[in-house]
Amino acid sequence: MERPSRQRQREETSAQEDERVNCPECGSDQIVTDADQGELVCDDCGLVLDERQIDRGPEWRAFNHSERQSKSRVGAPITETMHDRGLTTTIDWKDKDAYGRSLSSEKRSQMHRLRKWQERIRTKDAGERNLQFALSEIDRMASALGVPRSVREVASVIYRRALNEDLIRGRSIEGVATSALYAACRQEGIPRSLDEVAEVSRVPQKEIGRTYRYISQELGLELKPVDPKQFVPRFASALNLSEEVQAKATEIIDVSAEQGLLSGKSPTGFAAAAIYAASLLCNEKKTQREVADVAQVTEVTIRNRYQEQIEAMGFR
């Protein structure tokens, strides 16, 4: 068997844009590139069509992932979570040179001035400064909510779209940023209630809801209704309940939703009541107050939804 380092890299080779190279000897179009020898070879008859090709790969070799990461000289990937998409450079705050030696006082003052001006020129106008502030707010709230990075990227894209459509005029930057984050959570299937988002935001819940409805309508965001089953694993984990309780709660939600009980109801309250009912049925009893604190709903809501779900399941 041929060693992996000697294997030929098969790829289509074109002379110009779309013209396929054919072998002048046998007319075959099976042309392969031998990266080790730097040759263009016909795979059928073995004729060397070109030699001494330029190797456009790196000059170093790596045998595992950590070596490739340490030797790679590319920068960080482009991200929507930064106003300049992460394309600008950053001057390190450490006052040391490349060898780790401390800089002189004159060099330190020079680096301080460079950092100051570098921060100033990163945002050329008020629009970019506002975008920088909004994206930093999204990042702060996403960290407080514990959502993955994909949600932050989607929220940043939604905010940029709202900015380009001039939907922010007359509204607060924090309100639009929070609404974009809430919309991104729903779009990515990460269950976060409006109460939880409002808790980490600096704007009232009523403003977030109003801005969210406006943005989703103007941008045409296709957001499905929140499924209460998405909240079950998180609530059950916070209450230290078993997989059996989670499965029973999911069953209760499915049966009661089929009978139309979910229409017009809060998904968090519906999920909380299902977990409370499941904990009783599985002998892992939790009080209504414990479940209400985790789900951030009232005990009255849990009692009302609980009665409806128990009747739907056929229990009296």
Side-chain angles (χ1 to χ4, degrees):
M1 181 179 177
E2 206 173 10
R3 291 192 305 171
S5 60
R6 291 292 178 180
Q7 286 180 348
R8 290 182 173 179
Q9 301 176 357
R10 296 176 177 272
E11 60 182 12
E12 293 182 359
T13 308
S14 55
Q16 296 176 350
E17 284 291 325
D18 298 320
E19 295 181 6
R20 187 182 295 275
V21 175
N22 294 322
C23 176
E25 187 71 26
C26 64
S28 172
D29 61 353
Q30 298 298 318
I31 310 300
V32 297
T33 301
D34 188 349
D36 292 332
Q37 303 296 329
E39 295 175 345
L40 204 62
V41 185
C42 175
D43 201 29
D44 289 340
C45 67
L47 179 69
V48 178
L49 277 71
D50 192 11
E51 58 183 353
R52 295 182 182 177
Q53 285 191 318
I54 298 174
D55 183 7
R56 302 187 184 278
E59 80 285 357
W60 43 261
R61 293 191 303 169
F63 301 98
N64 54 46
H65 179 70
S66 60
E67 286 187 10
R68 280 192 292 272
Q69 290 295 101
S70 62
K71 292 185 177 182
S72 178
R73 288 190 292 273
V74 298
I78 293 176
T79 174
E80 297 292 338
T81 58
M82 300 179 69
H83 74 285
D84 52 11
R85 291 182 169 85
L87 295 175
T88 56
T89 56
T90 304
I91 300 176
D92 195 5
W93 59 271
K94 297 177 182 177
D95 291 324
K96 296 181 181 296
D97 61 9
Y99 299 100
R101 296 180 300 220
S102 298
L103 300 177
S104 62
S105 59
E106 183 181 352
K107 285 290 184 182
R108 280 200 299 271
S109 61
Q110 182 183 3
M111 294 302 296
H112 177 70
R113 289 195 302 271
L114 284 173
R115 287 193 202 97
K116 184 191 299 182
W117 280 104
Q118 197 265 349
E119 284 296 321
R120 288 177 179 175
I121 64 176
R122 284 185 69 184
T123 52
K124 60 184 179 182
D125 52 26
E128 285 198 0
R129 283 194 295 273
N130 291 341
L131 179 60
Q132 184 181 26
F133 171 70
L135 296 181
S136 65
E137 277 292 291
I138 289 175
D139 193 60
R140 179 189 66 80
M141 291 184 291
S143 297
L145 290 171
V147 296
R149 186 163 187 83
S150 60
V151 175
R152 307 181 192 194
E153 293 281 351
V154 173
S156 302
V157 171
I158 292 174
Y159 185 86
R160 288 176 185 273
R161 287 183 59 193
L163 185 63
N164 293 334
E165 296 288 336
D166 200 22
L167 303 180
I168 303 178
R169 188 182 299 275
R171 292 171 177 80
S172 67
I173 296 174
E174 296 96 331
V176 178
T178 310
S179 304
L181 180 61
Y182 178 63
C185 288
R186 292 190 57 174
Q187 203 168 42
E188 291 294 294
I190 306 297
R192 292 295 183 274
S193 65
L194 196 59
D195 292 331
E196 291 176 298
V197 176
E199 203 171 271
V200 299
S201 178
R202 295 191 176 104
V203 292
Q205 179 179 337
K206 185 179 292 186
E207 182 183 344
I208 297 171
R210 185 170 58 245
T211 308
Y212 160 73
R213 288 190 293 271
Y214 174 72
I215 287 178
S216 60
Q217 181 180 359
E218 291 295 322
L219 296 180
L221 302 178
E222 297 179 0
L223 301 174
K224 298 179 182 178
V226 179
D227 188 355
K229 289 186 290 186
Q230 293 180 336
F231 292 96
V232 170
R234 187 157 59 92
F235 292 168
S237 177
L239 291 166
N240 295 319
L241 295 173
S242 65
E243 292 286 338
E244 182 186 0
V245 176
Q246 294 187 37
K248 193 65 178 178
T250 302
E251 181 188 347
I252 292 172
I253 292 173
D254 287 334
V255 172
S256 53
E258 287 176 1
Q259 300 186 19
L261 299 180
L262 181 56
S263 178
K265 305 296 192 303
S266 167
T268 52
F270 208 80
I275 290 174
Y276 173 68
S279 68
L280 296 179
L281 294 172
C282 297
N283 294 321
E284 296 184 33
K285 180 172 171 53
K286 295 291 180 182
T287 65
Q288 292 180 1
R289 167 53 53 192
E290 290 176 313
V291 180
D293 289 340
V294 169
Q296 294 184 341
V297 295
T298 63
E299 296 178 58
V300 177
T301 300
I302 292 180
R303 280 195 292 272
N304 293 337
R305 300 292 87 78
Y306 165 73
Q307 292 294 335
E308 296 171 355
Q309 291 169 353
I310 288 298
E311 291 178 6
M313 293 292 292
F315 301 112
R316 298 292 179 182

